[in-house]
Amino acid sequence: NRNNDLWAYAAALYDSGRMTAGQFGQVGRVLTNDSSCYYATEAQKAAKGFIAGYNHDQSTWTWVAGRDELKTSEPLGDSAFRKAFLEQSLTKPSDKDVAFDTEADPSETPILLRVCSGCTRTHKKIYYRRLTPVPSDINLLNDILYYRDNRAGNRWNTDFTLHSTYEDAQVGAN
């Protein structure tokens, strides 16, 4: 049943000679133009007063960067991010001299909350727990925002772990 199928109706008009090939092509481009759907969706969200964003507990989390629809301004620079993440985190080591000790209390390793509004439900909130010092030649914030590579200095289960909940990240469980 192709009722309420505008493309099928236009095809029937073309097949019956009541629409030219040019007209049929124009209808097809309008109906299947994916970018128009995006802009129409964005216009409707704006008309209803919806804005992209994420409300977080500001007493626990510090916003440092956003990507795609969550980008509200330029992210912190690398040195500011390192200071916020490694020195001012609520889960920073209490004794800076023993930071990243493999025997350290897991609740004393920096934890970052990554929010992704466009990800699948299970990946919308991921907790990144740092296990090793960040090499000076790695821009960790840039890597977290834009890359998924597993390179020296930022290897999963060696330099960091990923967790579904903050509680799991604190104790190093998954």
Side-chain angles (χ1 to χ4, degrees), residues 28-39:
R29 284 188 295 280
V30 169
L31 293 177
T32 59
N33 185 351
D34 290 335
S35 63
S36 290
C37 289
Y38 170 79
Y39 293 113

Side-chain angles (χ1 to χ4, degrees), residues 8 32 40 43 66 89 146 172-173:
T32 59
S89 168
Y146 300 107

Side-chain angles (χ1 to χ4, degrees), residues 91 105-109 111 129 165-173:
T91 56
D105 179 350
S107 69
E108 291 191 358
T109 55
I111 297 171
R129 179 175 165 248
T165 68
Y166 180 64
E167 293 74 20
D168 284 351
Q170 284 183 301
V171 299

